[in-house]
Amino acid sequence: MKILVVGVGYWGPNVVRNLVDFPEVESIGISDLDPAKAAKMVAKFPRTHVAKPAPEAFADGYDAAIIVTPVDSHAALAEAALSAGMHVLVEKPLTRTVDEAKRLIAKADEVGKRLMVGHVFHYKPEVRALVDLVKSGELGTVKYLDSVRVNLGLFRSDVNVLWDLAPHDLTIFEAVLGKQPVRVSAIGAKHVVHPTTPQETMVYMTLDYGDGTLGHVHVNWYSPVKQRLMMVGGDKKMAVYDDINTAEPIRVYDCGTYDAVADTPTYPALRTGDVHIPKIKQEEPLKVQLREFFSSIQEGRAPQTDGNAGLRVVRILEAAMKSLEQDGVFVTLD
Ligand SMILES: NC(=O)c1ccc[n+]([C@@H]2O[C@H](COP(=O)([O-])OP(=O)(O)OC[C@H]3O[C@@H](n4cnc5c(N)ncnc54)[C@H](O)[C@@H]3O)[C@@H](O)[C@H]2O)c1
């Protein structure tokens, strides 16, 4: 396969580094508005060459395009690449609006090509382990997911912190819960004001699943420490996923409350037991994501994170933006 990578700013070089390991990749065209960035990649990686900027490069006979450009450009570039007959993998979030995402899905159907979104956390071994843990029933019914994703920067000018970081949490929430929220609320603040494009740098988003299950996401670019911590509250056991702790990312706590002991003086009676740390085999999730892209092309099937998965995340982000603009009122997802 001849692959075109569009955009080698911050994230694109990671895509290129992983791509060169795939034997099915015959050559990699590197496209960037800044030819010096493309030339730097070509000097470093085998089987790469400098390609034209997009969309001009789409006419040059590539089999697939990987779009790693700022979010506002995703819809137009992906649509042009599909129209030119390529399979397309778009970095998260798929698009800026629900309408754009729907148009892309329809275009991919029309031309019979694969459309995939780079929800990289879906492919993370730690997240797969968490999903397996929930599916095994060990945690019981999951009552809540509570996530903190904060760091000092990276401040972006094209999107706010919600669009930058929360796609990761929403990807994990969907994988773990296997269901969609029915309404969403978000409040945020612009604590560090960008000179030209002031954006929220901190957001608290609450997801209501309509059946008592709650999700909460705290994203912040203005934090003294880096934290990527998620609590999974089951009614049998609870788990904590600490993405920073690569040696022991998941801890399962055998704790909770005893049932039907209303006559005890401190109802409900608390139960605290052992902590279990499952062993997780590491693999770079971006590599797993690219393998899934190529497998879906070779097998003629939808990738695990297809256009619809991208649409579901954009739908929640779009509703959360409406809530942000109305000071946190709950917005129903229809
Ligand atoms: N999965 C992850 O963990 C992760 C991490 C970071 C970024 N991302 C995503 O990757 C995408 C890019 O983010 P980034 O941080 O690398 O942005 P960036 O601004 O650092 O880089 C984008 C690059 O795209 C190039 N570009 C823009 N339009 C182009 C065009 N028409 N043709 C060719 N090149 C073009 C720019 O010149 C720039 O070099 C975003 O969607 C972002 O959300 C994902």
Side-chain angles (χ1 to χ4, degrees), residues 110-122:
E110 181 195 320
V111 298
K113 297 291 172 188
R114 305 274 79 84
L115 171 65
M116 177 166 170
V117 64
H119 286 171
V120 75
F121 273 83
H122 177 90

Side-chain angles (χ1 to χ4, degrees), residues 6-17:
V6 184
V8 280
Y10 168 70
W11 190 245
N14 293 323
V15 174
V16 177
R17 173 174 54 74

Side-chain angles (χ1 to χ4, degrees), residues 7 16 28 31 74 94 96 98 119 129 141 143 146 148 166 174 210 232 243 250-251 256 258-259 269 274 282 289 296:
V16 177
I28 307 164
S31 162
H74 286 184
L94 179 62
R96 250 331 205 159
V98 164
H119 286 171
T141 303
K143 299 293 185 185
D146 202 341
V148 179
E174 176 176 308
V232 184
D243 197 50
I250 293 178
R251 282 167 188 259
Y258 290 106
D259 296 334
D274 291 342
Q282 296 294 328
Q289 175 182 293
S296 73

Side-chain angles (χ1 to χ4, degrees), residues 2-329:
K2 296 188 177 75
I3 309 295
L4 178 70
V5 176
V6 184
V8 280
Y10 168 70
W11 190 245
N14 293 323
V15 174
V16 177
R17 173 174 54 74
N18 276 284
L19 270 180
V20 294
D21 290 343
F22 284 86
E24 57 265 65
V25 173
E26 190 186 315
S27 67
I28 307 164
I30 312 276
S31 162
D32 201 285
L33 295 179
D34 178 354
K37 286 187 191 167
K40 203 171 148 196
M41 290 288 105
V42 171
K44 203 166 164 190
F45 294 107
R47 290 179 287 137
T48 54
H49 58 270
V50 174
K52 293 172 198 153
E56 291 76 21
F58 296 154
D60 290 343
Y62 295 97
D63 301 301
I66 304 179
I67 313 284
V68 203
T69 57
V71 183
D72 283 340
S73 63
H74 286 184
L77 289 177
E79 190 164 357
L82 286 165
S83 300
M86 277 174 271
H87 302 285
V88 177
L89 166 55
V90 187
E91 252 316 319
K92 61 84 197 161
L94 179 62
T95 55
R96 250 331 205 159
T97 68
V98 164
D99 286 348
E100 286 175 347
K102 286 182 177 167
R103 268 210 309 281
L104 276 191
I105 294 166
K107 177 55 78 178
D109 281 349
E110 181 195 320
V111 298
K113 297 291 172 188
R114 305 274 79 84
L115 171 65
M116 177 166 170
V117 64
H119 286 171
V120 75
F121 273 83
H122 177 90
Y123 301 99
K124 232 181 148 152
E126 293 86 337
V127 173
R128 298 327 308 170
L130 208 51
V131 171
D132 289 345
L133 190 66
V134 171
K135 278 194 179 147
S136 75
E138 193 177 334
L139 303 187
T141 303
V142 176
K143 299 293 185 185
Y144 68 84
L145 292 173
D146 202 341
S147 184
V148 179
R149 194 173 297 277
V150 301
N151 198 5
L152 191 60
L154 191 82
F155 286 91
R156 304 184 74 97
S157 58
D158 58 333
V159 288
N160 68 10
V161 71
L162 184 76
W163 284 80
D164 180 30
L165 297 182
H168 297 316
D169 303 292
L170 295 174
T171 298
I172 302 170
F173 282 16
E174 176 176 308
V176 169
L177 293 174
K179 59 187 174 188
Q180 295 297 311
V182 294
R183 52 182 200 150
V184 59
S185 143
I187 56 164
K190 299 168 187 172
H191 289 140
V192 181
V193 180
H194 191 276
T196 55
T197 49
Q199 310 264 10
E200 284 79 11
T201 57
M202 178 178 192
V203 171
Y204 293 119
M205 172 168 66
T206 304
L207 304 154
D208 177 4
Y209 289 80
D211 58 359
T213 315
L214 281 185
H216 188 261
V217 177
H218 167 199
V219 282
N220 191 357
W221 285 329
Y222 192 58
S223 156
V225 290
K226 180 171 181 168
Q227 264 198 338
R228 269 97 176 92
L229 196 74
M230 190 176 290
M231 278 176 279
V232 184
D235 59 6
K236 282 192 189 154
K237 292 185 184 177
M238 304 189 208
V240 175
Y241 164 27
D242 182 355
D243 197 50
I244 305 286
N245 184 349
T246 48
E248 298 175 349
I250 293 178
R251 282 167 188 259
V252 184
Y253 291 79
D254 184 11
C255 64
T257 54
Y258 290 106
D259 296 334
V261 281
D263 54 344
T264 59
T266 51
Y267 178 80
L270 304 180
R271 180 174 58 76
T272 55
D274 291 342
V275 181
H276 171 64
I277 303 172
K279 187 91 192 133
I280 296 167
K281 193 165 168 272
Q282 296 294 328
E283 188 174 15
E284 188 169 349
L286 192 48
K287 184 148 289 146
V288 185
Q289 175 182 293
L290 290 169
R291 190 182 305 128
E292 171 65 4
F293 183 46
F294 297 136
S295 300
S296 73
I297 294 170
Q298 281 150 6
E299 294 162 19
R301 59 164 175 85
Q304 288 172 34
T305 51
D306 62 2
N308 286 304
L311 167 64
R312 290 193 292 274
V313 165
V314 172
R315 184 174 152 261
I316 298 170
L317 294 175
E318 200 179 76
M321 286 304 291
K322 281 188 198 146
S323 174
L324 261 181
E325 285 153 17
Q326 298 170 69
D327 227 9
V329 296

